[in-house]
Amino acid sequence: MGLEEKLPSGVLLTTVEGVAGYMRKASFWPATFGLACCAIEMMTTGGPKYDLARYGMEVFRASPRQADLMIVAGRVSQKMAPVLRQIYDQMPEPKWVLAMGVCASSGGMFNNYAVVQGVDHVVPVDMYLPGCPPRPEMLIDAILKLHDQVQQTKLGVNRRNEIAELETAALRALPTSEMKGLLR
């Protein structure tokens, strides 16, 4: 009972964006950026028990020029921030960033001058993964959610228009200091 029996004429119609999104999501090549205890959990996901190879992520790349997903695992110091940005800039487009752990997401318990209070001050982050440290199952879940985002990504002019719309919406958003309700 294959796909050919479900299609009456043997023809399947889709868009170029749909095919490209499917191929991109099925072939993530992550660049490791393990800085603290979260890196141990990230390494565990590549092991035999959790096996990220099921999702097309067989090899963690040490070279940013071969990677399209950066997993920032752990706290980022002020001295490491320029290195992180340089590695991000060396990655080819399209590229995605996953902030793994509370330290990468918001600085964690290290509220001092030496630690960047969220990696989103250095590179744009596509997915935040909370926890101290997050379990390998949580990392796999975040990667699968990122797969859904990547599959819905538009291409070419449509992508540029989408980015412009998101930027204008962000500029029109109410500043956090003026928000009312549960935030204060």
Side-chain angles (χ1 to χ4, degrees):
M1 185 113 178
L3 182 65
E4 59 276 355
E5 282 112 23
K6 296 189 184 215
L7 298 173
S9 63
V11 176
L12 178 67
L13 299 176
T14 186
T15 63
V16 174
E17 286 180 348
V19 171
Y22 181 79
M23 296 303 167
R24 283 182 180 164
K25 87 166 192 169
S27 63
F28 268 156
W29 283 10
T32 58
F33 207 80
L35 299 169
C37 43
C38 291
I40 303 299
E41 301 293 327
M42 179 178 64
M43 288 182 247
T44 304
T45 59
K49 184 174 182 181
Y50 298 101
D51 193 20
L52 272 179
R54 294 177 291 168
Y55 308 108
M57 300 173 64
E58 285 85 10
V59 182
F60 281 89
R61 298 289 169 187
S63 169
R65 290 175 181 88
Q66 298 174 346
D68 54 3
L69 169 66
M70 177 186 280
I71 302 174
V72 182
R75 60 190 176 274
V76 178
S77 66
Q78 295 289 350
K79 286 179 121 180
M80 188 57 76
V83 177
L84 174 73
R85 184 62 199 205
Q86 181 181 10
I87 290 173
Y88 176 80
D89 290 339
Q90 290 175 351
M91 291 170 61
E93 289 288 342
K95 52 191 167 187
W96 297 276
V97 177
L98 193 150
M100 180 179 178
V102 73
C103 293
S105 298
S106 65
M109 65 194 91
F110 304 101
N111 189 10
N112 60 35
Y113 65 92
V115 176
V116 175
Q117 297 301 305
V119 75
D120 54 354
H121 292 287
V122 183
V123 293
V125 175
D126 298 295
M127 182 71 64
Y128 294 93
L129 176 58
C132 185
R135 299 272 309 137
E137 296 93 345
M138 293 172 67
L139 177 58
I140 290 173
D141 183 58
I143 289 170
L144 292 177
K145 288 179 181 172
L146 192 60
H147 277 182
D148 294 337
Q149 281 185 12
V150 169
Q151 189 165 6
Q152 304 304 322
T153 301
K154 299 186 181 312
L155 296 176
V157 177
N158 296 335
R159 178 70 179 149
R160 283 192 289 269
N161 292 340
E162 182 183 38
I163 290 171
E165 288 173 11
L166 290 172
E167 286 178 356
T168 55
L171 290 173
R172 273 193 243 124
L174 193 63
T176 327
S177 60
E178 296 177 15
M179 291 182 179
K180 304 266 190 255
L182 294 177
L183 194 64
R184 290 201 159 229

